[in-house]
Amino acid sequence: MARHDAGVFIAMDEATPDHNLMDTEICHECDLKVEIPPLGINQKALCPRCGYLLSANRANSLARIQALAITSLIFLFISLAFDFISFKSSGLENKVKMLDSLDILMDSGYIALAIIKLVTVFIIPAFVLCALIYLLVFIRNGRYPWQGDRLMNMILLLIPWNMAEIFLVGTLVSLIKIVSLADIILGPSFFAFILFSIAMTATLLHIDKRQLSLALAATRAKGVADTGATVESPHQAINPSLSIQRTWALIITSIMLFIPANTLPIMNTRLLGQDDPSTIIGGVLLLWHHGSYPIAMVIFIASILVPIAKILVLIWLNYSVQTNSMSLEQQRIVLYRIAEFIGRWSMIDIFVVIVLASLVQLGNTMSIVPGAATFAFTGVVVVTMLAAMSFEPRLIYNDKSAYEHRTTS
C-alpha cells in the first residue's frame, strides 16, 4: 500500500498509472474531500483518514457484473419452477414450491409475513438484477440509459434490503430443526436457489459506486472521463440536529419492540392437538438441550446478541456525536461499519419461522404457526437498520456546530 500525493491511499497490485487527471470524491463516512487519480487494474483507493473504500477498479468489472446478474436472474427463475422442499411425517406429505409458501402464509392469515418474504427475497433482488442488466447494456454500448443516475441510486438504496442469502441460511436452520421430526427431501429449486444466492452475492460484491458513476458520466457527456474534466460526486449537506433526533427516535422504538419480541412466543408448534409455544430464548435452549449446539449459537447470536449489541452501539455513537466527542474516532467508525453490516442478519429467525410455517402444515398431526413476537422482532430488525442508515457517520470526524452553522447560513 502506498500513499499518493493527492492525499488518498492507493492499494495496488500493479504500478500506479502516471496521470495528471484527478476526480474529486468526498468520503461517505468522514466527509474528507480527496482527489483520486485514475486507478489501474486491481487498485483500490482508501480514505486516508478513516480507511473507507472510496473506489476499486477490477478487471472487466462491468462485463462481470452483467454476466453475474444474468446468471443470478436465470437461477432465480429456475428456483420458482420446481419443488423447493418436501416434508413427510406419519404417512403425510407436503410439497412446497417457493411461491406456494406465499399462498400458504396468506391462507393462514399471515399476509405480513408473505409480503416480507415476497419483497425481500424476490421483488428487490429481481429489480436490482434487472436494473443492473438494463444499465450495463446501455453503458457498454456507449449510450446513456434513460433515468440512469436515478436508477443507479435506487439500486444502491435497495441493496441492503436484499435478503436472499439470509433466507437461505434461515431455510438451512429450519431444516436442521425439523430433520429429527420428519423426512426432508430437497427439490431442484432448493439447489437452484443456492446457486442464485451465490451468484447474487458475487454480483453485489463487484459493484463499485464510483466506477459505475464514472461509466454513466462518460456515456452522458462523451469524453468526460478522458478530457480532464473533474467528476465530482454529489454530496448532501448534513443537518446534525435532525439526524441525531431521528436516530434517537428509531433507537427508542427498537428498544420498545425488543421487549415483546423476546417475551412473547415467536412460534407455536401443534403436535397431535397439543400446543407448544416457544420464545426466541426458549427455542435456543431447546436446540441446545437436543445437542444442536451450532444452530443454537447461530440463533442466539443473530436473534439476541446482534440486536442488543447493535442497539448499544447506536446509543453510544449517537450520544458521542451529540456531545461533540472527538475521542476514539477510529474505534467508533469501525463499530458503525460492523453495526451497519450485521443488523440485517437478525432476520434469520424470522425466515426460520416463515419456512416452518409454510412447510409444516399437516393439520392436527403437526403444524407450526407464527407467534406475536414474529412481527415485533421483524420491527426490531427493520427499525435498527433504519437507525443505522439515519445515523450520520461524518459527524464522528467533524464538529457538529460547524454543520449547523453551514446549513443555517
Side-chain angles (χ1 to χ4, degrees):
M1 182 175 294
R3 176 69 181 270
H4 194 274
D5 293 339
V8 59
F9 284 102
I10 306 294
M12 66 189 74
D13 291 335
E14 298 179 2
T16 305
D18 185 17
H19 292 165
N20 294 321
L21 302 178
M22 295 290 179
D23 293 331
T24 301
E25 185 83 10
I26 299 179
C27 180
H28 168 72
E29 293 191 348
C30 74
D31 212 40
L32 181 67
K33 187 174 182 178
V34 297
E35 289 183 331
I36 304 177
L39 300 177
I41 300 301
N42 297 324
Q43 287 188 330
K44 298 185 294 183
L46 306 177
C47 175
R49 180 156 68 176
C50 71
Y52 179 73
L53 178 62
L54 298 171
S55 183
N57 186 17
R58 301 178 179 88
N60 302 316
S61 60
L62 296 183
R64 289 186 185 184
I65 294 172
Q66 186 177 16
L68 288 168
I70 293 173
T71 303
S72 302
L73 208 55
I74 292 173
F75 282 128
L76 176 60
F77 288 140
I78 293 176
S79 70
L80 303 178
F82 305 99
D83 288 340
F84 188 65
I85 298 175
S86 297
F87 177 83
K88 292 182 179 180
S89 178
S90 303
L92 300 176
E93 182 178 2
N94 186 23
K95 293 183 177 180
V96 178
K97 292 183 178 180
M98 289 291 284
L99 295 181
D100 290 344
S101 62
L102 300 176
D103 293 333
I104 294 172
L105 290 171
M106 295 180 71
D107 291 341
S108 302
Y110 304 108
I111 299 176
L113 294 180
I115 293 174
I116 290 171
K117 179 180 177 180
L118 178 64
V119 171
T120 61
V121 180
F122 299 113
I123 292 180
I124 289 179
F127 176 83
V128 169
L129 292 172
C130 290
L132 279 172
I133 294 170
Y134 165 77
L135 287 179
L136 292 172
V137 166
F138 278 85
I139 290 173
R140 297 188 67 205
N141 284 280
R143 298 169 55 196
Y144 181 76
W146 180 75
Q147 297 291 327
D149 288 285
R150 181 173 297 179
L151 198 57
M152 188 189 73
N153 290 333
M154 290 181 64
I155 291 171
L156 297 174
L157 183 67
L158 290 174
I159 283 176
W161 303 99
N162 158 56
M163 299 189 181
E165 74 279 17
I166 302 175
F167 174 77
L168 177 61
V169 175
T171 302
L172 295 174
V173 172
S174 305
L175 298 182
I176 293 174
K177 291 183 72 170
I178 61 175
V179 71
S180 61
L181 303 175
D183 295 327
I184 302 296
I185 301 175
L186 305 178
S189 289
F190 180 84
F191 299 102
F193 193 83
I194 292 177
L195 296 175
F196 157 68
S197 299
I198 295 173
M200 181 76 186
T201 302
T203 303
L204 300 181
L205 288 175
H206 277 77
I207 295 176
D208 184 89
K209 179 181 177 181
R210 179 175 173 274
Q211 296 296 328
L212 199 55
S213 297
L214 290 174
L216 277 173
T219 59
R220 183 174 52 243
K222 295 292 185 177
V224 165
D226 301 318
T227 60
T230 299
V231 178
E232 185 163 349
S233 299
H235 191 65
Q236 295 180 345
I238 303 174
N239 186 333
S241 298
L242 179 61
S243 173
I244 292 170
Q245 292 172 11
R246 184 168 55 236
T247 305
W248 277 130
L250 292 168
I251 291 173
I252 293 171
T253 302
S254 66
I255 293 173
M256 294 174 63
L257 290 170
F258 189 76
I259 297 172
N262 285 272
T263 55
L264 297 176
I266 193 169
M267 188 170 59
N268 186 28
T269 304
R270 293 173 182 168
L271 184 60
L272 300 176
Q274 298 293 321
D275 289 345
D276 182 22
S278 63
T279 61
I280 294 176
I281 190 64
V284 171
L285 295 175
L286 183 63
L287 286 169
W288 190 271
H289 177 73
H290 285 256
S292 300
Y293 305 121
I295 303 303
M297 290 299 297
V298 168
I299 297 297
F300 176 76
I301 293 172
S303 302
I304 298 177
L305 192 60
V306 166
I308 293 176
K310 186 171 184 178
I311 290 172
L312 292 176
V313 166
L314 288 172
I315 289 174
W316 178 46
L317 291 176
N318 212 40
Y319 177 76
S320 68
V321 298
Q322 186 176 26
T323 57
N324 289 333
S325 173
M326 300 301 290
S327 62
L328 301 176
E329 293 173 342
Q330 293 299 326
Q331 290 82 352
R332 282 188 286 158
I333 201 67
V334 169
L335 284 176
Y336 164 75
R337 292 168 185 166
I338 294 173
E340 189 178 40
F341 173 76
I342 65 173
R344 56 200 289 272
W345 284 93
S346 296
M347 281 295 290
I348 287 178
D349 216 20
I350 302 302
F351 286 131
V352 168
V353 174
I354 289 176
V355 172
L356 292 178
S358 57
L359 182 62
V360 187
Q361 294 295 331
L362 301 178
N364 290 328
T365 302
M366 181 186 297
S367 62
I368 293 177
V369 296
T374 305
F375 306 99
F377 191 77
T378 303
V380 172
V381 178
V382 172
V383 172
T384 53
M385 287 180 65
L386 292 174
M389 295 175 183
S390 173
F391 177 77
E392 184 49 72
R394 288 178 285 175
L395 293 175
I396 293 176
Y397 287 88
N398 294 279
D399 184 2
K400 176 172 66 71
S401 60
Y403 282 104
E404 289 176 338
H405 174 73
R406 189 184 307 171
T407 54
T408 55
S409 59

